[in-house]
Amino acid sequence: MKDDRSVINEFKAVLGERPGSYYVRTFGCQLNVSDGEKIKGTLRRLGFTPVKYPENADIIIINTCAVRESAEDRVFGVIGSMKKLKEENPRLVIGIAGCMTAQSNMAERIRRSYPQVDIVIGTNAAADLPYLLLDFFKKRKFTVGLAENDEFPYTPVRESRFKASVPIMYGCNNFCTYCIVPYVRGRERSRPAEDILKEIRSLAGRGYKEIMLLGQNVNSYNGGDGIGFTQLLEKINAVDGDFVVRFMSSHPKDFSHELIETIFRCEKIEKHIHLPVQSGSSDVLRRMNRHYTAEDYLAIIDEIRRHDPDLSISTDIIVGFPNETDEEFQATMELVKRVRFSNIYSFIYSKRSGTKAAEMEDPVPKEVKSIRMGELLLTQGEISQEFHSKFIGKELRVLAEEISKKHKGYLTGRSPENVIVEFMGDKQLIGQFVRVKITDAMNWAVRGEII
Ligand code: 5AD
Ligand code: SF4
């Protein structure tokens, strides 16, 4: 690891001990949220202080997502709206980080179309940021840095005082044909197990109640010395403390018998599995380059259900992959009805330039894709309702997370199954485990009373 003192000292020589205030806005997945926490940690280490609103910031970092076009459009909208802030405060520094920046020509496109942007940081933001900022403040002109520096020592500024995301690996080697991630995040890199364990011991010691292990493919984790994902889970499970462990996402091709055994053996691992299937048609799965068939996926589900017939399993589904026929879509519907997921995250296929699928013909009209999506959501709504109804009359251990945005006087939390639970309660309970007896079920959540 690089000695960061010299860059920090140099930074302070240029900008002083108090360089100003920061505001970081993150889009996209939990890995990106975790990157956002690191960016904040790095800015704090350089002497910046946080502010709640972008209007009050001296530096704004937008941490972007590129997985679908809709995410990108939202980011462009936000970058556009920053123009006004820059006019009001010409000393404001605006930086763009995250997955969008790593696409070819994006830095140039940003420079041309959005002159309010000062720095394009790339996907290695937390590590590169100090060097890039220093460069920018010396020259005061548009700076691009997509290079990889060594890890810059950081302490993330955590979004929550009781739930923590811990990345265990970065990047992806799978090249699913629709996905931009391998292009913008690079190849798989696993963090050393000892680093991960050190971080988790520290979080547990500070009273964190939930640890979420993150990676594009957590079950491809390879920490060297024979430490794969199952061994890592065993080690994490052995850390002292009253906390639970979740992980996402997993890839069906690496979901081994050993992993299933480990999940059921380790008492700290929550009884919920998120296992993206993407499609129920083996032909579509082949065109997606997923390396498994619908039958392979169902065999994993059957094995999980032999351990626990009611286990909560959620998934990701892409509707309208290029050339998806009615029959192929119906295969997805059949799989959804058969597996009875607790929840699905479904997306209409979005063309990402540079990927293999972007070259495929796609004659299916948008309207047809929307109708398919509607059909899928309707069916899953009924299945989720049925899944939730099974909890009526039962007691659940719930981590109280926040004040309900929908119902006054209520808190919401999550059960081990990752089900959203609403209950009346005082906000003092936030961050604690409580026992809730379930009285009602909706398709998006359950409701109950604290015992
Ligand atoms: N279009 C639509 N959905 C996508 N995903 C990834 N790439 C695309 C795309 N181009 C979805 C997948 C993945 C989830 C994180 O996002 O379902 O599992
Ligand atoms: Fe994208 Fe597939 Fe890698 Fe997931 S496994 S990040 S969907 S390429």
Side-chain angles (χ1 to χ4, degrees), residues 172 174-176 178-179 181-182 216-217 251 278 290:
C172 181
N174 291 322
F175 290 93
C176 300
Y178 51 80
C179 188
V181 168
Q216 300 299 343
N217 276 304
H251 196 301
Q278 312 298 359
R290 291 287 291 176

Side-chain angles (χ1 to χ4, degrees), residues 1-260:
M1 201 172 275
K2 205 174 272 185
D3 169 26
D4 58 317
R5 279 280 144 218
S6 58
V7 64
I8 289 182
N9 290 342
E10 209 183 329
F11 195 87
K12 290 192 170 163
V14 176
L15 274 148
E17 289 288 330
R18 296 181 168 279
S21 57
Y22 72 79
Y23 175 84
V24 177
R25 168 106 189 248
T26 293
F27 291 83
C29 68
Q30 299 199 46
L31 266 166
N32 225 31
V33 172
S34 164
D35 278 355
E37 294 182 338
K38 288 195 216 165
I39 292 172
K40 290 178 189 173
T42 302
L43 290 169
R44 184 174 62 181
R45 202 173 152 91
L46 294 170
F48 289 94
T49 49
V51 284
K52 234 178 156 172
Y53 302 103
E55 294 79 359
N56 305 332
D58 299 304
I59 177 164
I60 297 174
I61 307 284
I62 302 173
N63 188 23
T64 65
C65 169
V67 77
R68 281 171 292 274
E69 199 177 359
S70 52
E72 273 189 2
D73 289 346
R74 278 175 59 215
V75 170
F76 280 129
V78 169
I79 301 176
S81 72
M82 298 279 157
K83 194 170 175 185
K84 205 168 127 261
L85 295 181
K86 187 84 170 193
E87 280 162 8
E88 286 162 7
N89 173 14
R91 294 200 60 78
L92 172 66
V93 176
I94 298 177
I96 311 292
C99 291
M100 255 170 83
T101 60
Q103 298 175 79
S104 62
N105 295 331
M106 186 55 84
E108 183 52 24
R109 182 168 161 201
I110 290 173
R111 189 186 66 79
R112 256 189 286 121
S113 312
Y114 301 95
Q116 63 270 39
V117 174
D118 300 295
I119 311 178
V120 174
I121 301 156
T123 48
N124 195 29
D128 289 338
L129 196 56
Y131 305 94
L132 278 174
L133 281 180
L134 191 58
D135 214 28
F136 171 78
F137 282 116
K138 281 184 190 162
K139 299 188 305 210
R140 287 254 173 211
K141 67 175 212 238
F142 186 73
T143 304
V144 182
L146 303 172
E148 298 257 319
N149 281 295
D150 290 345
E151 187 84 22
F152 185 81
Y154 65 89
T155 314
V157 174
R158 304 240 174 228
E159 302 280 323
S160 159
R161 60 186 164 79
F162 53 89
K163 279 173 75 163
S165 297
V166 175
I168 63 167
M169 60 179 306
Y170 304 98
C172 181
N173 290 352
N174 291 322
F175 290 93
C176 300
T177 54
Y178 51 80
C179 188
I180 193 88
V181 168
Y183 301 91
V184 296
R185 291 264 169 189
R187 296 296 69 74
E188 281 174 6
R189 297 155 328 263
S190 295
R191 282 177 73 192
E194 219 15 77
D195 280 8
I196 297 167
L197 288 164
K198 205 170 129 199
E199 188 173 345
I200 292 175
R201 278 186 216 113
S202 152
L203 290 163
R206 283 183 284 146
Y208 273 81
K209 295 287 187 285
E210 182 182 302
I211 307 288
M212 170 69 92
L213 307 175
L214 293 179
Q216 300 299 343
N217 276 304
V218 283
N219 49 346
S220 315
Y221 176 82
N222 179 0
D225 298 329
I227 304 185
F229 187 52
T230 46
Q231 290 76 19
L232 182 70
L233 283 178
E234 302 265 10
K235 285 175 185 287
I236 293 171
N237 192 60
V239 172
D240 279 338
D242 179 26
F243 65 93
V244 297
V245 178
R246 297 184 189 273
F247 55 88
M248 65 184 288
S249 280
S250 303
H251 196 301
K253 79 175 169 54
D254 299 324
F255 216 83
S256 62
H257 310 293
E258 200 192 355
L259 175 55
I260 295 173

Side-chain angles (χ1 to χ4, degrees), residues 67-68 178-180 276 278 316-318 347-352:
V67 77
R68 281 171 292 274
Y178 51 80
C179 188
I180 193 88
Q278 312 298 359
D316 292 349
I317 288 176
I318 296 178
F347 313 97
I348 290 189
Y349 167 75
S350 171
K351 182 173 171 172
R352 307 283 61 210

Side-chain angles (χ1 to χ4, degrees), residues 316-347:
D316 292 349
I317 288 176
I318 296 178
V319 172
F321 183 77
N323 238 332
E324 182 190 60
T325 63
D326 262 328
E327 243 179 357
E328 287 168 344
F329 172 67
Q330 286 311 323
T332 298
M333 290 295 292
E334 288 309 311
L335 183 133
V336 164
K337 286 182 205 160
R338 155 108 196 261
V339 176
R340 312 206 82 72
F341 294 106
S342 51
N343 195 5
I344 64 174
Y345 301 87
S346 48
F347 313 97

